[in-house]
Amino acid sequence: MSFSKKFLSSSLLSVIDQAMLSALNFAIGALLIRMVDKDVYGLYGQLYAGGLLAGLVVDSWISGPLTTVASAVHDNTRKILLRRYWQRQIFWTLMSGALAFFVVKWVPAATHLQERSWLLAGAFGAYVIGNGLREYGRTVGFIQSDLVSVLRQDAIYVATVLAGLIALYSRQQIALEYLFLLLSAASVLCTLAGRPRLLARTVADTRMEAGDAEVLQAHQETIRGHGQWAVLGVVVGWLSNYSYVYLSGAWLGLAAIADLNASRLLLMPIPLAVSAWSRVARPEASRLMAEHNWSGLRKLTLASIAGIELVVLAYVVLLLLTLPWLEAQVIGSKYSGLDPLILLWGIYFATNAVRIIGTSWLMSGGAFRAMFFLGSVTLVLVIAITYAAIPYWAAAGAIMALIAVELFEMVVVWRFILPRLQRQRQHARQMM
């Protein structure tokens, strides 16, 4: 199968996979919007953002650098790395779940609640653990280009969550504690269902020839070095992208977070589609960079930008046209008048998609240090702009701040960092 056909086939499966997850995420959000108070939905937004941070930290420490290295090595070496880092994924996921429990239970700013229940803290910690275990199985599937198994695992996850949501709805027990317990149970079930295939994909010939141990150790050192910078980069990146949740909550209250999240929820298929593209494209970009195939990378870049921007434009237009029906039938009158926020989120995601393509290439090239320094600058900018914008434009000001920072980051990535990475790769090749 040619590269283009193989990539398109993988992309299609990944889009189908993310479409399922996107529909599930929308169903959860829509159910909460209809069934709970705005403050409760605002709290869900804060916890969801916190859970995302926990997952991103573990992913940047293990899965992200592993994808960069494992995608361009020999098959047997790849399997050894995948098996070893599965054990580390379990350890760090358990640590992140314990930390999540501690934060929700004892840090007041995490919930804005005076009385924080043990059940909510325990359910959220379990959610973080289950999600981390499930994500590693997906990572292995993407690295091994086994998109069918990824799709199968996620179908089990989606079906389990939907069944649980129907049960909760029928009993009128839509509470955050039960929701996070349901999501964690579905993740564990999905992980157990995919465990035999995961083990099969990581069984390697452990007999090593002379020099193999040193090569493997060098790969692990590379992953560790990438991971150290990647964790720092992902933390500042998360703060840049999600500080609006906490800043808006501090200035405007949980109801403002609910409005921001409700309008963003309607556009969630866009970032999930971009994520689907990224999981397929990053291993391919790593291979193209390892081969110094810059013309192939350029074609992949142009096709990715054109395809994603077309999806963003079509979806935003469709959403604005159907918004009156959605307000009447899905989100309810308490969230009416979201048109300006949706339009701003559409502009944000259109800009964000182009930037993510660039940062995905940086991750494929191992430029985690540069991403950290860029993220540090953008974090300062987003906090300063949000602080200045919210008093004048309220919730819309938070999105405007994100758009301004995305534009800045997009220019820096495409104009300066990526060209420098290519020059460094070309120079290293000439010196060999």
Side-chain angles (χ1 to χ4, degrees), residues 113-345:
L113 299 177
Q114 292 182 346
E115 295 183 4
R116 295 170 294 280
S117 71
W118 288 91
L119 181 57
L120 179 60
F124 184 68
Y127 161 74
V128 169
I129 292 172
N131 196 56
L133 298 178
R134 182 175 67 89
E135 279 298 320
Y136 189 78
R138 300 180 78 242
T139 295
V140 172
F142 282 111
I143 291 176
Q144 297 285 58
S145 297
D146 188 2
L147 276 296
V148 174
S149 67
V150 174
L151 188 62
R152 185 184 298 113
Q153 274 187 240
D154 285 342
I156 295 173
Y157 174 75
V158 170
T160 304
V161 174
L162 285 177
L165 288 176
I166 293 172
L168 291 176
Y169 179 78
S170 64
R171 297 184 180 185
Q172 296 294 299
Q173 293 181 331
I174 306 299
L176 297 188
E177 294 88 344
Y178 299 137
L179 175 61
F180 284 122
L181 284 174
L182 169 62
L183 294 174
S184 63
S187 292
V188 171
L189 178 62
C190 176
T191 302
L192 293 176
R195 187 171 181 271
R197 189 173 290 271
L198 174 66
L199 293 176
R201 285 197 299 259
T202 57
V203 171
D205 184 356
T206 56
R207 295 172 298 178
M208 296 187 182
E209 299 179 359
D212 285 353
E214 289 77 7
V215 171
L216 189 62
Q217 182 63 31
H219 288 316
Q220 293 184 136
E221 290 295 331
T222 300
I223 293 172
R224 186 180 300 111
H226 287 341
Q228 291 170 351
W229 287 106
V231 169
L232 295 174
V234 82
V235 170
V236 296
W238 177 87
L239 288 171
S240 296
N241 289 320
Y242 288 94
S243 59
Y244 80 90
V245 172
Y246 300 94
L247 295 174
S248 299
W251 274 310
L252 305 174
L254 287 173
I257 300 177
D259 285 334
L260 285 167
N261 284 341
S263 55
R264 182 172 179 144
L265 170 70
L266 298 173
L267 288 153
M268 280 308 292
I270 295 176
L272 288 173
V274 174
S275 175
W277 161 86
S278 178
R279 299 299 293 266
V280 174
R282 276 190 55 205
E284 187 60 40
S286 295
R287 285 188 282 269
L288 291 172
M289 288 184 180
E291 298 167 359
H292 297 272
N293 185 356
W294 304 113
S295 62
L297 184 64
R298 191 178 306 110
K299 292 178 182 178
L300 178 60
T301 300
L302 293 176
S304 298
I305 292 177
I308 289 175
E309 291 303 310
L310 183 62
V311 169
V312 172
L313 178 61
Y315 185 82
V316 172
V317 170
L318 177 64
L319 183 59
L320 289 174
L321 291 175
T322 58
L323 186 58
W325 180 86
L326 288 171
E327 287 181 347
Q329 302 297 326
V330 180
I331 60 179
S333 59
K334 59 185 173 182
Y335 290 95
S336 61
L338 294 179
D339 310 54
L341 297 183
I342 289 174
L343 183 58
L344 287 172
W345 278 124

Side-chain angles (χ1 to χ4, degrees), residues 35-53:
M35 300 293 294
V36 303
D37 295 335
K38 288 183 91 172
D39 285 356
V40 175
Y41 184 57
L43 174 58
Y44 170 76
Q46 285 198 176
L47 293 176
Y48 181 84
L52 182 62
L53 173 62

Side-chain angles (χ1 to χ4, degrees), residues 408-426:
F408 166 79
E409 197 168 358
M410 180 182 69
V411 171
V412 173
V413 167
W414 286 104
R415 180 65 180 84
F416 299 103
I417 302 181
L418 272 172
R420 186 177 66 181
L421 177 62
Q422 182 176 346
R423 290 194 298 269
Q424 290 174 346
R425 288 294 188 102
Q426 291 174 334

